[in-house]
Each structure stands twice: as C-alpha cells, then as structure tokens.
Amino acid sequence: MDAVSWAMLGAILALLILSALFSGSETAITAASRAFITRRTREGDRRALTLSRLQERKDRFLAALLVGNNFVNTTATALASSLLIAWFGEGGVVYASLAMTVLLVIFAEVLPKTYALQRPDATALAAAPLLAAVMRLLGPLGSAVNWLLSHVFRLFGVQAAQARRSEEELLGAIELHGTDERGEAEAAAQEERRMLRGVLALDDLTVGDVMTHRARIHALDADAAPEALMARILAAPHSRMPLWRQRGEEVLGIVDARAALHALAAARQEGGAVDLKRFAAPPSFVPETRPLREQLHAFRAMTPKLALVVDEYGTIRGLVTLEDIVEVVVGQIAQRGEAIIADDDADGIVEVRGDARLREINHALDWDLPQDEASTAGGLAIARTHGIPEIGARIRVGRYTLTVLERRGWRIDRLSIGRDAD
C-alpha cells in the first residue's frame, strides 16, 4: 500500500474512535445520576459543573453531539468506499458498506454505549472536556437543528415538549431503590421506599386526608361534672384535648390533660368548682383543604401542635396534630393500648378497624388498596356495595377481599382484609 492508503486507513481509524467517543458520551450523560452530578458540583468538581450546565440544555447538546457523530460516521464510510474502490473496483462499494456497518455497530455504537451504561457517572465525568469542546464547536449548529425541528413540529401541529424532571420519574427511582437487596437489607429498603413515598405525598395530601374525624375526637365538655371530666381525661390516650360546649359548637381552647387533672383534683379536695378554660390554650383552626406541607411548617411555630379542622362553612370536621403528618412518612404510630393493625393469620388475612385509613393500611402492608373511592376501610366497603353491608358480607375489591366482622348501627366497626396470592 502507498502512503495515501495508509493515511486514509489512519483517518478511518481516528474517525471510528471519535464516533465511539461521541456515542459513549451521549449515553453517559443521559444515564448519569443527576444527584451524583449535583453532589460533585457542590464539592467543586469542574467537570461536574460542566455536565450540570450541559444538562440544563440537553436538547441543544444532544443535537450538537448527533450532528458531530453522524458527520464522522459519514466521512469514515466515504473514505472507506474510496479506498476499497481503488483496491477492488466498483465492488469496493459493497465491501465498504459491509465492513463499515460491522465496525460502526460493534466498535462505535454497542461497545462504547454498553461501557457507558455500566459506568455512567465515571464515564460522564471523563467525557466532560470532550463534551465541552463539542458544544463550543457545534453548539450553534445544534441550536439551528432544534430551531428547524420546532418549525417542523409546528407545521404538523405538534407542540414540542420541554424536557423536565417530573415527580413520576422520582417515584420511579424510589421504586427501584433496594430492589436488588436480600434479607434484612431488603426489608430496610422496603421501609425506606415507603418513607420516601410519604415525603412526596406531603404535597398531594391535605389536612382533611389525615385528620381525626370529629366523631373520634376525645374532647372535654366544659359543662360536665368534675367526676365525668376526670374519668374522660383518664380514659383518653392523648395528653391534650379540646375543651368545648354544645358538642363542638363553641370551642373554648386546648387543655393539657396533666394540668386539668391537677386542677380537678385540687377542686375536689377543696370542694369548689373549677373552670378548665383558665388552663386552656387558644384553639387554632385550619381549613381542611390546606396541603400537609403548609401545615407542617405552620406547626413549627405553633404550641400546642394541634389544630381543629373546619370546612368552608366554619363547621368543625376533625382534628389534626403534628403526629398525623409524621405518620404519612413513617407510618401509623400506635396509641396507648391500641394496635395499628391486628397480626395477620396463616392465610395472610388481617383485621382492621372500620375507620382505619386505607393509606395507612397500604403503607404498613405495602398493599395497593384503592384510595380514590374512600379514605377508610369501612368507607371502601360501603362504596363498593352502595349501601351498609351486613355482618359477614364479603366484598371483592380487585385482588382483595373485605369481610365485615362487626357493625354498630350504620357504622362498620371492624373488617378483615385478605389479598390473593401473587
């Protein structure tokens, strides 16, 4: 071979290497963890800073990279065709097409992209200088390509979507967290996934979704006898309770149970009356539509960490505490003498109270009972039967079976829930 042939072979090899770098860099920056890049940027890594800036305009960057990659592939194929035609005549075109297809697919596409997928973060950092050079050289051309594409989309009535990181992508990443763990590590990862989902739910849920319903509020009647008040306080599982009259029509404040007991005991010894209102903190009222994240921030400045929930007419709907919001993240916290969910039996069937929230059941058992029809287990049974089911009634909800165990009047007190085997 003469010097020209050797030069052409060298140029083809250099273009193939450049094509491999383009392909691997494209895959690496697409697959690289944004959290990793952000952390390295904060640590002062200039390469990570470069990658972070490129990801802000990923459409322009990818267009420039694809232009460069296609240019070197086309040039390499043209040089190979010219060289093989000189060697084999017109049949060299076929040989060049076959040879370049194999070389480009294996060594310029599959190999670098597979490597980049296996080590996306490290590869992206290593490729940062090359990527910056490509953007300086071909960035304007990439912008021109994007401008042309936007007009083509508009011509066909297609709105060009802006690439954005959505909450759904984050939820998908959470679902993948710890899926390759086994044993105790798997159980820990499962709990971490539940807690991460709970953190994201703070923006989607409102105070009305987690409040204790008015019918379940342990409150003190300001007009009740001292003995009845003392018995009520001792039986309640809470340290703070609303003080009201006329079953909540007039709220006087929030009473600390310990201070109220001391006052009642002193009044009992002295034989006098006691006004619990003197020991009550001013009540706080919040609308049932307030997002949990806002209420969480509000609780930071409130004492006590308790608020009464009202509807649009000012009627008390329930009560919310800081603990109710924390339970969205960590799961239900058992009250004194109260089981969260009864232990399941050998068949995997669990017993729950009728007012147990479906969100808490799903959180504790990693189930997916539907929450769009009702917020409680009893409510779901009623929604599916369009009435009040009798004791012993079995209700199918997807792959779950609800069985009514106890009923008090029109209220479902207890159910069992079983899930079909996977």
Side-chain angles (χ1 to χ4, degrees):
M1 290 192 301
D2 55 14
V4 174
S5 298
W6 281 111
M8 293 179 69
L9 284 174
I12 293 172
L13 179 60
L15 290 171
L16 286 175
I17 293 174
L18 196 56
S19 177
L21 291 174
F22 282 148
S23 297
S25 300
E26 174 194 351
T27 301
I29 195 171
T30 304
S33 167
R34 185 164 185 85
F36 170 81
I37 294 174
T38 301
R39 177 172 61 82
R40 293 298 295 267
T41 300
R42 291 176 178 174
E43 293 173 355
D45 192 323
R46 296 179 62 85
R47 296 175 302 171
L49 179 60
T50 299
L51 293 176
S52 180
R53 290 173 177 171
L54 291 175
Q55 286 189 333
E56 292 175 359
R57 287 297 310 275
K58 190 178 289 187
D59 54 344
R60 181 171 179 263
F61 158 72
L62 288 178
L65 201 59
L66 289 173
V67 167
N69 197 14
N70 280 279
F71 174 78
V72 298
N73 288 346
T74 303
T75 303
T77 303
L79 289 176
S81 298
S82 176
L83 181 61
L84 293 183
I85 287 174
W87 289 355
F88 303 105
E90 294 183 0
V93 174
V94 177
Y95 301 148
S97 298
L98 293 176
M100 291 305 298
T101 298
V102 172
L103 292 174
L104 287 172
V105 169
I106 295 178
F107 297 104
E109 291 290 336
V110 177
L111 189 149
K113 289 185 175 182
T114 301
Y115 180 88
L117 283 175
Q118 293 175 350
R119 306 167 181 81
D121 297 335
T123 304
L125 285 178
L130 171 65
L131 299 176
V134 169
M135 281 301 296
R136 284 194 295 268
L137 183 63
L138 301 177
L141 191 55
S143 297
V145 170
N146 284 327
W147 177 84
L148 178 61
L149 287 177
S150 66
H151 283 74
V152 172
F153 284 144
R154 194 175 305 163
L155 181 64
F156 290 96
V158 178
Q159 190 70 27
Q162 295 293 324
R164 62 184 182 89
R165 296 174 298 277
S166 65
E167 183 174 315
E168 288 74 19
E169 292 173 333
L170 184 54
L171 284 171
I174 291 173
E175 294 304 320
L176 292 175
H177 171 66
T179 53
D180 56 344
E181 302 288 355
R182 294 294 180 269
E184 294 183 1
E186 181 181 13
Q190 185 180 58
E191 184 61 25
E192 290 167 357
R193 290 196 298 270
R194 293 173 184 168
M195 294 178 67
L196 290 169
R197 288 194 295 264
V199 171
L200 292 180
L202 293 178
D203 276 332
D204 302 324
L205 297 176
T206 65
V207 168
D209 293 322
V210 302
M211 70 180 183
T212 298
H213 192 271
R214 179 172 178 168
R216 291 183 56 200
I217 294 179
H218 291 83
L220 299 176
D221 187 345
D223 297 323
E227 292 78 9
L229 289 173
M230 185 172 291
R232 180 81 169 163
I233 294 173
L234 291 173
H238 310 291
S239 61
R240 290 180 175 83
M241 306 167 66
L243 178 67
W244 62 31
R245 287 193 174 100
Q246 301 176 7
R247 301 182 62 83
E249 295 300 319
E250 180 186 359
V251 181
L252 304 178
I254 307 298
V255 175
D256 181 271
R258 180 178 297 180
L261 283 176
H262 284 305
L264 290 169
R268 186 176 183 181
Q269 291 178 354
E270 298 172 1
V274 61
D275 182 11
L276 290 182
K277 187 177 179 181
R278 293 191 299 114
F279 304 94
S284 298
F285 299 91
V286 299
E288 60 181 338
T289 55
R290 172 178 285 185
L292 287 188
R293 187 177 295 278
E294 291 184 15
Q295 187 57 39
L296 179 61
H297 289 300
F299 273 144
R300 297 175 62 184
M302 289 173 53
T303 302
K305 315 294 186 185
L306 179 151
L308 293 166
V309 183
V310 297
D311 61 14
E312 58 183 319
Y313 303 105
T315 303
I316 294 177
R317 293 291 310 278
L319 179 148
V320 65
T321 66
L322 177 61
E323 184 179 271
D324 293 324
I325 301 178
V326 172
E327 286 179 343
V328 174
V329 178
V330 304
Q332 188 175 358
I333 303 172
Q335 301 290 345
R336 184 176 61 191
E338 174 190 27
I340 299 176
I341 297 175
D343 294 335
D344 55 347
D345 60 18
D347 297 325
I349 298 175
V350 299
E351 292 188 12
V352 300
R353 293 189 337 193
D355 57 2
R357 294 189 177 276
L358 296 171
R359 173 181 50 78
E360 294 168 353
I361 297 172
N362 288 339
H363 190 285
L365 301 175
D366 202 24
W367 284 2
D368 56 354
L369 286 163
Q371 303 178 50
D372 53 345
E373 303 174 45
S375 60
T376 65
L380 180 59
I382 292 172
R384 283 303 176 101
T385 57
H386 303 288
I388 311 298
E390 299 292 337
I391 295 177
R394 295 169 62 86
I395 303 105
R396 287 290 296 180
V397 181
R399 54 177 177 163
Y400 301 93
T401 301
L402 282 63
T403 305
V404 179
L405 301 179
E406 297 178 18
R407 209 183 81 176
R408 183 178 301 176
W410 302 113
R411 186 180 71 190
I412 298 176
D413 267 3
R414 201 157 192 83
L415 308 93
S416 67
I417 306 177
R419 184 174 70 167
D420 296 342
D422 296 331

